[in-house]
Amino acid sequence: MIRTSKNYLNVLNRLKSSLNKKLAFLPIIFVIILSFTQCANMQKPTGGPKDSLPPKLLGETPMNLGTNFKEKTIILKFDEFIKISNQQKEFTISPDVSEPLTYKVKKKDLHITLPDTLDQNTTYTINLGKGLVDYNEGNPLLNYTYVFSTGAELDSLSISGTVINGYTQDFDLTKDKEVIAILIPTSKDSTFGKKKASYYSAIDSSGNFKFNNLREDTYRIYALKDINNDKIYNGGEEWIGFLNDSIHLKENISNINLSYTKGSYTKYRNMEKKIDQDGSLLLVFNRPIEEPTIKIIDPIDYETKKLIRFNSNKDTARIYFENLEFDSLKLELTEIDQILDTITYKKARNLKTEATIVPKLSISNKVDRIKHIQITSSYPISSMDKNKVILKEDTVSKRNFQLQQDTLNKEIYHIRYNWKTKTNYELVLEEKAILGPYNETNKEFKTAFTLNDAPNYGDINLTFTGLNDSTNYLVELIDEKKETIYDKRVITISRKISYLQFPGAKYSLRIIEDINNNGKWDSGDVYKRLQAERLWYLDRTFTIRANWEQNETIAVEFK
């Protein structure tokens, strides 16, 4: 019995020793498996300086700049793993093709598959823009081009130039990043606005563009703010610039200047029709209407009981009614005495409105002795009752203020008073102080303010030289960024403008060559081949100083 136990223990010891030897290899096996797993996945390296270099091209198959090209696939080899970024916007081929190219990344290679619809004897340029980047850091390979010809020769002519925003007369890539230059052979110009342009070029940060590898031909060239990135001019919100004449390309051409302005819709459309909260009918059109009129043809009784207000651009109208006791309306919109549209509006059954006049004041918490107080409203104003206007001076009611209707705009009222320093004021517009065209009224309105006892107003008299006596001009007083218009008026034949009692600040000027004398700047019309009206900007600012009177001569030179 004792002998059996010893044999049993010897067997167990041998098994334990063998197992320990095998287990000793497990960490080594685990490390080997882990290393293989890491090699199989592209990992972002840690530590060390950040990679800022783009992928480096190692080879092209077939070779770039080839002729009699018949291959179906182009392979570009790089020194690191790559990926595609924003392919639809960045990757282009010129001239455009009816079927898209296929781009596929295989580790460090980019495979480009061409369609079967390439034209014969044509030079094609594939541009990768900023769309090919390294896998880890996203560093782009900038503007790589692959050029090939399906014929015996490579086309080598070029067209280059610059673009500017026609309204601001400069180019800012951050504001106009969608702008491209497009080129269309005149034989295909009938497709403008219908199909993609044959050739298109990106614009650099200075507004420059260049078309390369062009054949001898006659072209039309455009600058397009391509908002929806379809390489087609769609009018409306998209901007367009163009040359009136075509380009006969026989040798390289440079210094083409394109000025793009907001486009126009070729066809009219009623964009919106609804009854607003205040009971007015809002009509929005896709373009300005020239000399618009609106007539209610059903119910006919409402024709004499309506009040119409168009906005300054004539692309929006509001119609105010005495009541809304109708189920539907039929309207007739006329442009220059020609019927443009018949609009039908059906009123919602559960429609709830409140025709209340909400006053708007020209001040917030400070008043001055020059501008005083101006009262307006988005709703039409017929009259104001001074007996319901209360002005309190340090809680004491004052009646010796002036309430006057504006001489030019009857829906504006002015309150003037001999304001005092270090005094608290409160203006109260009691209920029914303001009356609308159909007896609409305001709710009680209160506002508190004090006198701005450091008025900052001055005068400046400007004399303009260099203007054509037979041309109409408008002048706009603007800010340095060309965004805010403080004043707009016609330059009379005297060529003198005076800004009197104007707030002290820095200003600049924009002058419009108002060719059609319609009192506004008109952008270009690509379909009528009408360029935008010319603009001139003062290339500096000037300061209106408080309590000063200044005189300046402005030399204007349109380019």
Side-chain angles (χ1 to χ4, degrees), residues 228-276:
N228 62 358
N229 195 35
D230 64 356
K231 308 298 187 296
I232 300 172
Y233 173 59
N234 299 290
E237 296 302 314
E238 293 192 326
W239 292 45
I240 190 75
F242 55 95
L243 295 184
N244 285 342
D245 298 324
S246 54
I247 297 175
H248 303 284
L249 184 62
K250 295 182 178 180
E251 58 184 13
N252 293 341
I253 295 177
S254 58
N255 299 320
I256 297 292
N257 297 310
L258 295 170
S259 174
Y260 54 92
T261 60
K262 188 176 181 179
S264 58
Y265 290 96
T266 55
K267 295 182 180 180
Y268 154 86
R269 189 155 59 97
N270 176 213
M271 304 289 289
E272 186 177 10
K273 52 184 178 181
K274 69 174 184 177
I275 295 288
D276 263 349

Side-chain angles (χ1 to χ4, degrees), residues 373-418:
I373 299 174
Q374 179 178 282
I375 300 175
T376 60
S377 176
S378 58
Y379 201 92
I381 296 176
S382 292
S383 62
M384 285 191 66
D385 185 353
K386 185 178 179 181
N387 293 324
K388 295 183 180 298
V389 178
I390 309 299
L391 179 63
K392 294 181 180 180
E393 186 179 77
D394 282 338
T395 72
V396 178
S397 180
K398 297 292 183 179
R399 302 303 304 165
N400 58 334
F401 63 88
Q402 295 179 349
L403 177 65
Q404 294 180 328
Q405 192 176 38
D406 192 88
T407 56
L408 298 178
N409 188 337
K410 301 300 182 181
E411 295 181 7
I412 297 177
Y413 280 80
H414 302 274
I415 292 179
R416 296 182 175 90
Y417 182 70
N418 185 20

Side-chain angles (χ1 to χ4, degrees), residues 174-447:
T174 60
K175 295 180 180 179
D176 286 342
K177 59 182 179 295
E178 304 94 346
V179 176
I180 58 174
I182 62 177
L183 194 67
I184 303 176
T186 53
S187 59
K188 298 181 179 180
D189 199 43
S190 61
T191 65
F192 176 77
K194 301 174 184 177
K195 294 183 178 180
K196 284 185 178 182
S198 301
Y199 302 88
Y200 34 94
S201 170
I203 309 296
D204 68 18
S205 60
S206 298
N208 301 312
F209 66 87
K210 187 173 184 179
F211 295 96
N212 291 308
N213 303 108
L214 299 174
R215 69 171 60 176
E216 183 176 330
D217 205 342
T218 303
Y219 297 92
R220 290 273 190 192
I221 190 168
Y222 305 86
L224 170 64
K225 188 169 184 178
D226 190 21
I227 293 177
N228 62 358
N229 195 35
D230 64 356
K231 308 298 187 296
I232 300 172
Y233 173 59
N234 299 290
E237 296 302 314
E238 293 192 326
W239 292 45
I240 190 75
F242 55 95
L243 295 184
N244 285 342
D245 298 324
S246 54
I247 297 175
H248 303 284
L249 184 62
K250 295 182 178 180
E251 58 184 13
N252 293 341
I253 295 177
S254 58
N255 299 320
I256 297 292
N257 297 310
L258 295 170
S259 174
Y260 54 92
T261 60
K262 188 176 181 179
S264 58
Y265 290 96
T266 55
K267 295 182 180 180
Y268 154 86
R269 189 155 59 97
N270 176 213
M271 304 289 289
E272 186 177 10
K273 52 184 178 181
K274 69 174 184 177
I275 295 288
D276 263 349
Q277 180 64 31
D278 63 3
S280 65
L281 175 61
L282 172 67
L283 300 175
V284 179
F285 316 115
N286 67 331
R287 65 170 177 83
I289 311 298
E290 294 186 57
E291 299 178 24
T293 60
I294 295 176
K295 180 182 178 181
I296 298 179
I297 55 180
D298 188 46
I300 191 63
D301 293 347
Y302 279 82
E303 169 58 18
T304 58
K305 301 176 182 178
K306 72 180 189 306
L307 184 64
I308 302 176
R309 294 288 183 268
F310 289 95
N311 69 345
S312 59
N313 202 38
K314 299 295 190 295
D315 60 5
T316 300
R318 283 189 180 275
I319 307 177
Y320 300 88
F321 305 98
E322 184 176 4
N323 61 68
L324 298 177
E325 297 174 359
F326 56 80
D327 294 324
S328 64
L329 284 175
K330 184 176 286 188
L331 312 165
E332 189 176 83
L333 174 64
T334 301
E335 182 176 37
I336 319 178
D337 298 326
Q338 297 292 321
I339 296 175
L340 184 63
D341 191 13
T342 299
I343 302 170
T344 300
Y345 171 77
K346 292 185 178 181
K347 189 180 70 174
R349 291 183 179 181
N350 58 348
L351 181 67
K352 294 182 181 180
T353 62
E354 184 180 11
T356 301
I357 299 176
V358 179
K360 297 180 180 179
L361 271 60
S362 59
I363 65 168
S364 54
N365 61 351
K366 292 288 184 181
V367 68
D368 63 67
R369 296 192 180 107
I370 303 297
K371 303 296 183 182
H372 296 275
I373 299 174
Q374 179 178 282
I375 300 175
T376 60
S377 176
S378 58
Y379 201 92
I381 296 176
S382 292
S383 62
M384 285 191 66
D385 185 353
K386 185 178 179 181
N387 293 324
K388 295 183 180 298
V389 178
I390 309 299
L391 179 63
K392 294 181 180 180
E393 186 179 77
D394 282 338
T395 72
V396 178
S397 180
K398 297 292 183 179
R399 302 303 304 165
N400 58 334
F401 63 88
Q402 295 179 349
L403 177 65
Q404 294 180 328
Q405 192 176 38
D406 192 88
T407 56
L408 298 178
N409 188 337
K410 301 300 182 181
E411 295 181 7
I412 297 177
Y413 280 80
H414 302 274
I415 292 179
R416 296 182 175 90
Y417 182 70
N418 185 20
W419 313 104
K420 299 177 181 178
T421 61
K422 300 179 181 179
T423 303
N424 295 317
Y425 290 95
E426 183 182 42
L427 178 65
V428 180
L429 303 180
E430 295 182 337
E431 188 175 355
K432 299 182 180 181
I434 306 176
L435 191 66
Y438 306 113
N439 295 319
E440 303 90 342
T441 61
N442 65 291
K443 296 179 181 179
E444 186 179 69
F445 174 89
K446 295 182 179 181
T447 185

